Amino acid sequence: MGRFPENFLWGGATAANQFEGGVSEGGKGLSVPDVMTGGTKTTPRHVTDGILAGYHYPSHEAVDFYHRYKEDIALYGEMGFKCFRMSINWSRLFPNGDEKQPKQEGIAFYRNVFLECQKYGIQPLVTISHYELPYHLAKEYGGWANREIMDFFLRYCKVLFTEFQGLVHHWLTFNEINILQMGAYGNLMGGGILPPGKDTAVGVLAGLDTSWDDEQRRYTALHHQLVASAKAVAMAHEIDPENKVGCMLLSRIAYPYTCRPDDVLKGQQVMQTANYYCGDVQVRGAYPAFARRLWKEKGIEIPFAAGDREALKEGTVDFFTFSYYSSSTATDDPDVPVANGNMMRGPANPYLEQSQWGWTIDPKGLRYLLNEFYGRWQIPLMIVENGLGAEDQVEADGSIHDEYRIAYMREHIEQMAEAVEDGVELMGYTVWGCTDLVSAGTGEMAKRYGLVYVDKDNEGKGTLERRRKDSFYWYQKVIKSNGENLDCYFH
Ligand code: BGP
């Protein structure tokens, strides 16, 4: 046997709000990211009260998967993808979120996408909610802080599980559910909780402005999502026992900055709060023991309703998935310089290089996490986001030599192979943003993850033409050899 199991799910990952566009096609309603403006590495995004003139809203067209899905999926077929992770725009099925009946155009669109995947033998892995609560639910109901949202969500899930039965077997309930443990983006993207103003700077760059944050509200919203997720898992199994449902977390490493016991304890606490709080609920069906102290110290109360504990127990997931881009450290020392990371910041690790966006690059951290997670939960794992956001240069002949991206992926895949050798049960790997798409953190196009280039810039200009990068041909070989051939030479 090779280093990776047979039937390993190689592929790529996207999210509707960053990829699909078609904001007003087929009667789609607005969702929260549709009121978020573009930003850059140095300019924060804004969230506005409805659509304001004079702003560019990158989700509206994104990179137009809505009209180009056949071409995009054909490229995935050409690369040999076994799996395509994508998400459904809730507001394409339920424009306001609280309707009783779904829109047939929305259902037809996704059915066509799944049928197209089928042509190439690509299994869809569908995220039900990836940072895009219908705007109406955010505005009129207060987002996930309101328990009523749970029923609307479960109605939406029921439509998905019945309409796409047989076409989709792998589901993820909420993208990076643990983002709700963080201020700013946690509220907005995770919980659909809007800031009070008409025009508010948000995002990673402005992420330190937590003036409108309310931890009680955020942890309440998270509890509602955890219960809703568990109920969705149970429903998926009931509707079709073939359904496999996973959770999805933003993974976090917090290496102790030094071996001072204070730093070691701090590192452990960050790992517990960031990874195991949600992970234990979704995999084991109950909040972990340390949660009680966490709630006490934060002064928050989790609003358990009758039946919540049972629902959590009955809706544990079949597999555990996560995003992994970078690692950080933990210390009490305020003088240690800070590095950026996926939706977070933390004390920088002096032994690691950083990407152009200041995210540390740590392939061995992936092996470390895979071992940690498998050791704790003992269920199949899958990496559903990983990759390098970088600026790409198109040469005069149209080629794109992204050897930095290949190096990043190769080093991470090597560590995955080590983890498999360590005994970890790993189901698959989907590289983030396999086709260039809008950055979630900064709302820009310049931060590209793709193996396929899209001609579009930060102002929204470009032909949207697709181009194969060098990494496209490299990944094709990786998949063909089931991860044996990671050599970096080109056609
Ligand atoms: C994760 C999100 C994705 C994606 C990725 C990269 O948090 O699930 O939606 O965008 O991060 O982040 P960014 O786009 O900010 O580079």
Side-chain angles (χ1 to χ4, degrees):
M1 195 189 98
R3 301 192 298 172
F4 290 96
E6 268 176 53
N7 304 324
F8 191 76
L9 294 172
W10 296 102
T14 59
N17 79 83
Q18 294 164 257
F19 191 43
E20 198 177 278
V23 70
S24 45
E25 302 273 351
K28 180 189 171 305
L30 286 182
S31 55
V32 171
D34 294 332
V35 298
M36 290 180 68
T37 70
T40 68
K41 202 192 280 184
T42 48
T43 334
R45 310 185 71 173
H46 287 228
V47 58
T48 57
D49 188 18
I51 308 293
L52 301 187
Y55 274 130
H56 168 56
Y57 294 91
S59 69
H60 291 193
E61 182 186 54
V63 294
D64 200 26
F65 177 70
Y66 190 79
H67 293 108
R68 292 163 197 259
Y69 67 92
K70 289 193 177 169
E71 182 189 353
D72 286 331
I73 294 169
L75 286 164
Y76 303 152
E78 192 182 326
M79 266 189 282
F81 276 20
K82 311 286 180 220
C83 177
F84 172 44
R85 177 181 175 225
M86 52 169 282
S87 74
I88 308 259
N89 247 321
W90 181 346
S91 58
R92 197 172 285 295
L93 268 57
F94 293 90
N96 282 328
D98 56 0
E99 295 89 345
K100 292 254 165 6
Q101 296 300 328
K103 275 222 161 295
Q104 292 307 317
E105 290 105 306
I107 293 174
F109 169 68
Y110 292 109
R111 178 168 294 121
N112 288 338
V113 168
F114 300 141
L115 287 170
E116 204 63 25
C117 288
Q118 219 172 48
K119 278 194 200 163
Y120 300 93
I122 299 173
Q123 292 195 43
L125 167 62
V126 175
T127 318
I128 298 172
S129 179
H130 192 137
Y131 293 167
E132 43 62 69
L133 189 73
Y135 184 57
H136 175 77
L137 297 184
K139 184 106 177 115
E140 304 303 327
Y141 290 81
W144 277 96
N146 184 337
R147 202 179 161 99
E148 264 187 90
I149 304 289
M150 210 187 282
D151 293 336
F152 304 139
F153 176 77
L154 291 168
R155 190 183 295 158
Y156 161 55
C157 287
K158 191 164 182 191
V159 169
L160 300 184
F161 299 147
T162 43
E163 291 288 343
F164 304 132
Q165 186 170 356
L167 284 170
V168 179
H169 297 290
H170 289 91
W171 304 90
L172 302 176
T173 51
F174 291 92
N175 181 63
E176 296 186 334
I177 192 166
N178 53 337
I179 197 178
L180 257 166
Q181 292 177 273
M182 298 167 203
Y185 261 14
N187 284 303
L188 196 63
M189 311 282 264
I193 297 168
L194 301 171
K198 298 265 176 226
D199 182 346
T200 314
V202 287
V204 181
L205 292 161
L208 302 176
D209 170 22
T210 46
S211 52
W212 54 284
D213 182 36
D214 173 347
E215 275 208 313
Q216 172 66 59
R217 183 174 56 179
R218 244 187 319 108
Y219 273 80
T220 297
L222 178 54
H223 178 71
H224 293 155
Q225 283 194 355
L226 288 165
V227 174
S229 172
K231 289 187 174 178
V233 174
M235 184 198 286
H237 290 155
E238 203 185 300
I239 292 177
D240 184 354
E242 298 274 293
N243 274 330
K244 297 271 180 241
V245 192
C247 57
M248 197 297 195
L249 265 75
L250 181 164
S251 69
R252 174 111 192 232
I253 292 180
Y255 300 124
Y257 190 73
T258 70
C259 54
R260 274 192 312 129
D262 282 346
D263 282 0
V264 175
L265 269 176
K266 175 93 181 173
Q268 185 179 51
Q269 280 161 2
V270 174
M271 292 281 284
Q272 283 183 328
T273 311
N275 301 310
Y276 302 143
Y277 181 89
C278 290
D280 278 6
V281 174
Q282 296 192 286
V283 178
R284 295 173 166 176
Y287 284 102
F290 65 80
R292 199 174 310 160
R293 179 163 183 177
L294 186 91
W295 296 330
K296 200 165 134 202
E297 287 182 356
K298 288 182 182 294
I300 54 182
E301 247 177 74
I302 301 299
F304 281 98
D308 280 3
R309 286 191 175 80
E310 293 71 18
L312 294 177
K313 267 266 158 307
E314 285 156 17
T316 55
V317 292
D318 303 307
F319 59 106
F320 180 93
T321 80
F322 61 99
S323 58
Y324 177 77
Y325 295 92
S326 59
S327 65
S328 75
T329 66
T331 179
D332 281 336
D333 181 351
D335 294 331
V336 174
V338 158
N340 288 329
N342 181 19
M343 306 289 175
M344 65 193 159
R345 299 174 135 205
N349 186 329
Y351 300 100
L352 298 175
E353 309 255 303
Q354 296 180 7
S355 76
Q356 290 170 324
W357 270 258
W359 295 18
T360 52
I361 298 177
D362 181 14
K364 288 193 174 133
L366 181 56
R367 177 179 177 187
Y368 169 80
L369 268 187
L370 285 166
N371 274 281
E372 280 294 306
F373 291 170
Y374 193 66
R376 188 174 183 97
W377 293 312
Q378 307 264 305
I379 61 170
L381 305 181
M382 180 161 173
I383 300 145
V384 294
E385 282 186 32
N386 171 249
L388 182 69
E391 279 168 26
D392 290 330
Q393 178 70 40
V394 184
E395 304 297 333
D397 66 355
S399 55
I400 297 136
H401 304 305
D402 56 340
E403 65 287 343
Y404 36 88
R405 184 167 294 110
I406 295 172
Y408 180 101
M409 287 175 68
R410 190 184 61 235
E411 285 163 20
H412 283 80
I413 293 172
E414 269 161 6
Q415 294 304 315
M416 280 157 43
E418 293 292 339
V420 172
E421 184 67 22
D422 294 335
V424 170
E425 200 180 336
L426 188 60
M427 288 167 62
Y429 172 84
T430 52
V431 61
W432 173 249
C434 41
T435 302
D436 288 345
L437 40 66
V438 177
S439 157
T442 52
E444 67 192 312
M445 279 304 301
K447 189 179 189 189
R448 296 172 182 276
Y449 287 87
L451 316 175
V452 175
Y453 184 89
V454 177
D455 178 30
K456 183 161 180 183
D457 65 18
N458 282 356
E459 282 73 49
K461 297 198 193 72
T463 61
L464 294 167
E465 187 199 344
R466 273 62 170 154
R467 265 176 201 288
R468 296 164 184 80
K469 303 183 193 177
D470 284 352
S471 53
F472 178 101
Y473 300 105
W474 174 80
Y475 197 41
Q476 189 179 46
K477 275 192 318 195
V478 172
I479 297 177
K480 194 157 179 222
S481 65
N482 198 24
E484 296 302 314
N485 183 358
L486 301 179
D487 289 349
C488 189
Y489 62 85
F490 306 114
H491 54 291

